[in-house]
Structures are given as C-alpha cells and as structure tokens.
Amino acid sequence: AVKLNIQVYYPLCMKFRKRISTNIREVVFGLEDSFVSTMGAVSGVAVGSGDIHAVLLAGIVLVAVEALSMSAGSYLSSKAATELYQERAGQDASRVLAERLTDTETLKQFFARKGLSAKEVALVNTVVMKERKMWLKEVQRCEYKMSPAVGDTPLVAALIMGVFYLVGGILVLIPYFVLPLALALPAALLLTATLLFFLGVWKASLAGINRVQSGMEMVAVSLGAALIGMAIGYGYTYFT
C-alpha cells in the first residue's frame, strides 16, 4: 500500500512542483503583495478603530476583493504579453522563412558566426533546412532573445495568483481570529515578518543570491507597510 501511494502521489507532487516553478512570478508576487497590503491595512484599522470585528471585516473584504483584482490583472497582463509575443514571433517567422527560402547564405553566415567550421556549417545547414520550426526557434532564441512572457497559460497564471494571494491574506488574519486585539496586532506583525523572511529566502534560493539579505529586505518592506498603516490609524484617531 505504501509503495502504491508513492507511485501515485510522487508524480503528482513533481507535477505540482513543476507548475509552481513555471509560475514563480505569480507565486512570489501573490504572497508578497498579500502579506504586505493585508498587514498594512489591518494594522491601520486595528489602531484606528480598536475594534477587532472591524479589523476582521476589513481584512476579509480586502483579501477577497484584492485576490479577485490580482487574478484579473494577472490574466489580462499575461494574455496581452502572450499575444504580443505570438504576434512578434509570427512576424519574424514570415521574415525569416522568406529570407531562408530566397537566400540560403543567411543560414551559413549565422552558424559561421557561432564558430562552426565550414564542414560543420554545411552539415547543420542541411539538417536545419528540413525543419522550419527548428530554425525559427533557434533564430528567436539566439538572435532576438525572445521567450514567452508567462510561464503558463494566462488562466492558470491568474488562478495561481489568486490562490496564493488568498493564502497569504488568510495567514496574516489568523492572529485576529484567535487572539484579543492587543495581542493580535503584534502577533500578526511577527507572523508576517517571519513569513516574508522565509519567502525571501526561498526566492533567493531559486535565484542564487544571498538568502539572508533577500529575507531581510522582505521583512523591511513588511514593517514599512505596517508602520504606514499604523501611522494612518493613529492620525485618524487623533483628528477625529
């Protein structure tokens, strides 16, 4: 039974991991923006109102509306970027294939610039000429540095953005569900800073940069948002 479970769940886990890696921009952006904006907003409401019910209402509304907004924004921007990429690729396909059909020397010049010998150029030229898509992809990658603007389809990117935004917002609100307001505010600050630190570490591990520095940058952003929210809350209570 254990062996069967491993055989069933391991491919699913690997598929999920690949999907997350492909859409890393949506994952990081959704979590980071949710942590920061939710923390800043509920901190201001907590200080300004002193009512935990008002904090929870504001937090739930904010997370729900922003998750939908971020999903829609991710879908529209990803769709626009993908359409632009496809349009550019189509234009280059027409031009490159026309050049190749009328002037085979362009192939030889291209591979000669890559350092191939005359014999190697002739061999590669013969092989590449048999497949238009292979040639076009090589030109786009090497000459134009073109790549799709999104890792997955716009719909999947939007869903991932929305789900991770919801997850981040709910995590920030947990202290307000289980603790009195006087304890919930510092607990939420500590929880958010911790989550952002580990998010920064994870992002840095993928990018190959300094993990501690990345984590601390995330924490600084979180604390800055919380301070701004609290300052607005104190200002509201002072002037009203």
Side-chain angles (χ1 to χ4, degrees):
V2 174
K3 183 177 180 181
L4 179 62
N5 288 336
I6 293 175
Q7 291 176 343
V8 171
Y9 292 116
Y10 181 74
L12 293 176
C13 292
M14 293 302 295
K15 185 177 181 179
F16 176 76
R17 181 178 179 182
K18 182 179 180 181
R19 178 59 57 84
I20 294 300
S21 299
T22 303
N23 295 275
I24 188 65
R25 184 183 74 90
E26 280 70 27
V27 174
V28 174
F29 187 19
L31 286 174
E32 186 272 337
D33 191 59
S34 182
F35 289 151
V36 173
S37 60
T38 306
M39 184 69 254
V42 297
S43 296
V45 175
V47 171
S49 69
D51 184 354
I52 196 165
H53 298 292
V55 174
L56 288 174
L57 177 60
I60 292 171
V61 171
L62 173 70
V63 172
V65 172
E66 283 296 307
L68 291 174
S69 176
M70 294 292 287
S71 293
S74 175
Y75 174 78
L76 294 174
S77 61
S78 298
K79 187 172 183 291
T82 301
E83 290 172 346
L84 177 61
Y85 167 77
Q86 292 173 345
E87 174 65 19
R88 289 184 58 191
Q91 293 174 355
D92 286 319
S94 299
R95 183 183 62 79
V96 170
L97 295 179
E99 288 181 356
R100 195 198 65 188
L101 291 172
T102 57
D103 184 7
T104 57
E105 273 300 308
T106 56
L107 283 173
K108 296 179 181 179
Q109 293 170 358
F110 173 78
F111 287 112
R113 289 198 303 271
K114 301 300 179 181
L116 276 67
S117 65
K119 184 178 180 179
E120 291 171 333
V121 169
L123 177 62
V124 173
N125 183 63
T126 301
V127 173
V128 173
M129 284 288 287
K130 295 179 181 179
E131 181 52 64
R132 292 186 176 188
K133 291 183 179 179
M134 183 187 301
W135 162 234
L136 179 59
K137 182 181 292 186
E138 180 66 12
V139 171
Q140 290 175 340
R141 185 181 68 82
C142 297
E143 291 288 325
Y144 305 118
K145 303 295 188 297
M146 290 179 65
S147 61
V150 292
D152 220 318
T153 64
L155 181 59
V156 172
L159 289 174
I160 291 177
M161 173 71 79
V163 168
F164 278 91
Y165 193 98
L166 281 173
V167 170
I170 291 171
L171 289 174
V172 174
L173 292 176
I174 286 177
Y176 293 97
F177 281 104
V178 299
L179 296 172
L181 186 59
L183 297 177
L185 179 56
L189 283 170
L190 180 60
L191 176 61
T192 305
T194 303
L195 291 171
L196 275 169
F197 178 80
F198 284 108
L199 178 62
V201 170
W202 178 59
K203 182 191 71 172
S205 66
L206 295 175
I209 59 179
N210 189 289
R211 299 183 182 186
V212 176
Q213 180 180 349
S214 177
M216 294 306 296
E217 287 175 351
M218 286 282 195
V219 172
V221 170
S222 172
L223 294 178
L227 290 174
I228 292 174
M230 293 171 68
I232 294 174
Y234 280 122
Y236 174 82
T237 58
Y238 178 80
F239 289 107
T240 57

